[in-house]
């Protein structure tokens, strides 16, 4: 395996030829000042974050570090824009091998999917689940592609101010996972140099700071504002929200919205939407007047049960063809296109929407 340094004998060391053979040159403090005039000590001690060690080790491999940073920032060469892939779970006479999670991440067009608001939350949630448990299972190319798409997700939020809380949770889970892997586990599971992963940790920390400092500008609207709508219309809008934190944050805007957000009927509908009758009947939370406190009930059930997930658009899986694909709903309605080359008589009966968790389970063998 070749070295990454300028000289094939060592990563960046200097050598000299003597009568006894080649020997490595070790620079000491006085030699750096007297004999090697090409090196500027003030430049080495500046804020360029390059460290110089004297003694047995001459200097840190600056060239290698720059090469690692270049490889870290380079876009993956495995870039596909496939709308569908064949999910193979075993070898057959016609096909050999199987499809992995990293291959699906590389081939499916997630870069274009995040530009669609109906698919953005789906991709962000999928990346959050991968960050929690599946990151070490990805190949090196898939990991690089993962971070390239993640950068586009962060830029999308910074530019359009769309759903920053979801991306903050994603970066927090990813930061915790990388810190655990890079610090405690290290080279056992990570693909590539550990220094690259430490650089990625630093980049994630910068992204988190940018999202925390994100200031959403005030929208200038010449039409009817939200506060000018009738109360029943505002209440109907609140009932359409499936995220409790959106309701709480909206209730902090005005005293009217505060009273609407505390409505017991609103929180009862939220409990019915996310949880089953059996779940909240076994965890009744009564107030002092023996009435059900539906707001407290919601947060109690949230701790014990997973909430119902709702996305504008998801990946679909054809049970007849074993194909995973993005389906364009507009083309499906206009052209009656199922989104993949299906050979079934009734393709619509074979389609199954895939949640982010089910997407990961497809590639667990």
């Amino acid at each position: 395996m070749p070295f990454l340094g300028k000289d094939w004998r060592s990563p960046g060391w200097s050598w000299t030829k003597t009568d006894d053979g080649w020997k490595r040159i070790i620079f000491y403090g006085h030699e750096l000042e007297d004999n090697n005039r090409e090196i500027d000590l003030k430049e080495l001690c500046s804020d360029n974050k390059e460290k110089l060690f004297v003694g047995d080790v001459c200097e840190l491999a600056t060239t290698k570090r720059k090469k690692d940073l270049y490889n870290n920032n380079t876009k993956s060469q495995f870039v596909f824009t496939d709308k569908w892939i064949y999910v193979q779970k075993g070898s057959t006479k016609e096909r050999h091998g199987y499809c992995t999670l990293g291959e699906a991440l590389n081939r499916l067009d997630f870069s274009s999917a995040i530009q669609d608001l109906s698919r953005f939350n789906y991709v962000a949630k999928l990346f959050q689940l991968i960050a929690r448990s599946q990151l070490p299972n990805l190949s090196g190319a898939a990991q690089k592609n993962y971070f390239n798409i993640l950068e586009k997700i962060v830029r999308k939020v910074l530019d359009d101010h769309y759903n920053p809380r979801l991306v903050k949770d994603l970066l927090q889970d990813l930061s915790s996972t990388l810190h655990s892997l890079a610090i405690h586990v290290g080279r056992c599971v990570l693909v590539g140099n550990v220094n690259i992963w430490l650089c990625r940790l630093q980049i994630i920390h910068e992204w988190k700071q940018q999202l925390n400092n994100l200031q959403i500008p005030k929208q200038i609207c010449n039409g009817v504002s939200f506060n000018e709508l009738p109360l029943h219309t505002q209440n109907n809008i609140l009932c359409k929200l499936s995220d409790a934190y959106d309701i709480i944050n909206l209730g902090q805007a005005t005293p009217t919205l505060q009273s609407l957000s505390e409505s017991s009927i609103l929180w009862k509908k939220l409990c019915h939407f996310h949880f089953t009758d059996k779940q909240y009947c076994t965890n009744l939370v009564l107030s002092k007047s023996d009435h059900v406190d539906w707001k407290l009930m919601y947060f109690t059930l949230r701790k014990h049960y997973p909430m119902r997930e709702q996305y504008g658009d998801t990946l679909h899986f054809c049970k007849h063809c074993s194909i995973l694909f993005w389906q364009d709903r507009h083309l499906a309605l206009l052209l009656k296109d199922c989104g993949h080359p299906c050979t079934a008589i009734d393709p619509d009966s074979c389609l199954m929407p895939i949640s982010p968790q089910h997407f990961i389970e497809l590639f667990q063998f």
Side-chain angles (χ1 to χ4, degrees):
M1 184 175 181
F3 288 98
L4 298 179
K6 297 179 181 179
D7 198 293
W8 63 271
R9 303 172 189 83
S10 177
W13 286 332
S14 299
W15 296 78
T16 183
K17 187 175 183 180
T18 63
D19 297 336
D20 298 331
W22 287 91
K23 290 186 177 180
R24 180 166 61 90
I25 299 176
I26 300 178
F27 294 104
Y28 295 93
H30 62 281
E31 293 176 347
L32 284 173
E33 184 177 0
D34 297 335
N35 299 331
N36 196 352
R37 297 181 180 180
E38 296 181 357
I39 300 178
D40 190 358
L41 290 178
K42 293 182 179 180
E43 183 180 354
L44 291 174
C45 297
S46 62
D47 296 333
N48 58 2
K49 298 182 180 180
E50 301 296 339
K51 298 181 181 179
L52 183 67
F53 297 91
V54 294
D56 295 333
V57 182
C58 64
E59 61 178 309
L60 194 64
T62 305
T63 306
K64 183 175 183 299
R65 287 182 57 191
K66 292 180 179 179
K67 186 178 182 67
D68 291 340
L69 289 175
Y70 174 77
N71 292 334
N72 180 34
N73 296 328
T74 303
K75 304 303 179 183
S76 175
Q77 65 267 31
F78 300 98
V79 178
F80 300 89
T81 58
D82 295 346
K83 294 183 178 180
W84 59 269
I85 60 172
Y86 178 78
V87 180
Q88 182 173 342
K89 296 188 177 182
S91 298
T92 61
K93 293 182 179 180
E94 295 79 11
R95 295 175 179 266
H96 296 280
Y98 56 91
C99 185
T100 63
L101 178 63
E103 182 181 354
L105 190 65
N106 284 334
R107 294 186 58 187
L108 288 173
D109 192 6
F110 287 102
S111 297
S112 300
I114 61 176
Q115 303 301 326
D116 189 348
L117 293 182
S118 62
R119 298 177 179 178
F120 181 87
N121 291 347
Y122 181 86
V123 177
K125 183 62 177 181
L126 175 61
F127 273 49
Q128 185 178 17
L129 294 179
I130 293 176
R132 290 176 180 176
S133 60
Q134 300 298 319
L135 192 61
N137 299 332
L138 301 179
S139 62
Q143 289 176 355
K144 182 180 292 187
N145 191 32
Y146 176 90
F147 282 94
N148 291 338
I149 299 176
L150 180 61
E151 180 182 1
K152 296 180 181 180
I153 292 176
V154 176
R155 296 304 171 194
K156 175 73 174 177
V157 175
L158 293 176
D159 295 339
D160 299 343
H161 312 110
Y162 182 74
N163 207 344
R165 187 176 65 252
L166 177 60
V167 181
K168 287 181 182 179
D169 295 339
L170 165 60
L171 294 179
Q172 180 61 37
D173 292 340
L174 181 60
S175 178
S176 302
T177 302
L178 286 185
H179 186 272
S180 177
L181 294 177
I183 303 300
H184 302 292
V185 181
R187 301 177 182 177
C188 300
V189 295
L190 294 178
V191 179
N193 196 330
V194 178
N195 292 329
I196 294 179
W197 291 95
L198 295 178
C199 292
R200 286 172 174 168
L201 264 175
Q202 182 180 0
I203 293 174
I204 293 172
H205 179 68
E206 294 175 357
W207 287 343
K208 292 167 62 176
Q209 288 183 338
Q210 293 177 5
L211 291 178
N212 291 331
N213 298 331
L214 180 63
Q215 297 292 335
I216 300 178
K218 185 177 180 180
Q219 299 292 333
I220 300 176
C221 181
N222 297 327
V224 180
S225 64
F226 185 82
N227 295 329
E228 297 174 352
L229 295 175
L231 291 180
H232 68 276
T233 305
Q234 297 183 19
N235 187 45
N236 290 335
I237 294 175
L238 287 175
C239 291
K240 298 297 182 180
L241 299 177
S242 60
D243 194 334
Y245 291 102
D246 290 338
I247 297 176
I248 294 175
N249 293 334
L250 188 59
Q252 297 175 357
T254 61
T256 303
L257 291 176
Q258 173 68 25
S259 60
L260 292 176
S261 64
E262 296 293 334
S263 173
S264 177
I265 299 176
L266 173 63
W267 290 98
K268 181 179 180 179
K269 291 182 178 179
L270 206 61
C271 289
H272 282 281
F273 176 79
H274 285 286
F275 309 104
T276 63
D277 296 343
K278 182 179 179 180
Q279 289 174 346
Y280 63 75
C281 286
T282 56
N283 296 271
L284 285 177
V285 179
L286 301 178
S287 60
K288 295 181 179 179
S289 58
D290 293 335
H291 294 289
V292 178
D293 190 343
W294 289 104
K295 183 177 181 180
L296 185 59
M297 168 80 75
Y298 171 83
F299 288 101
T300 303
L301 295 173
R302 186 188 177 111
K303 296 179 182 179
H304 297 88
Y305 305 103
M307 294 190 302
R308 176 183 174 184
E309 297 180 355
Q310 187 180 27
Y311 304 101
D313 193 8
T314 66
L315 283 166
H316 289 74
F317 182 75
C318 180
K319 295 180 287 185
H320 177 76
C321 306
S322 297
I323 287 180
L324 187 67
F325 64 98
W326 289 109
Q327 185 182 35
D328 194 330
R329 293 173 297 176
H330 301 288
L331 291 178
L333 294 175
L334 294 176
L335 305 178
K336 296 183 179 180
D337 185 8
C338 58
H340 71 287
C342 186
T343 58
I345 299 177
D346 187 9
D348 295 336
S349 62
C350 304
L351 299 185
M352 178 176 60
I354 300 296
S355 66
Q357 182 61 42
H358 193 188
F359 177 90
I360 294 177
E361 294 174 355
L362 280 176
F363 304 99
Q364 293 179 350
F365 308 109

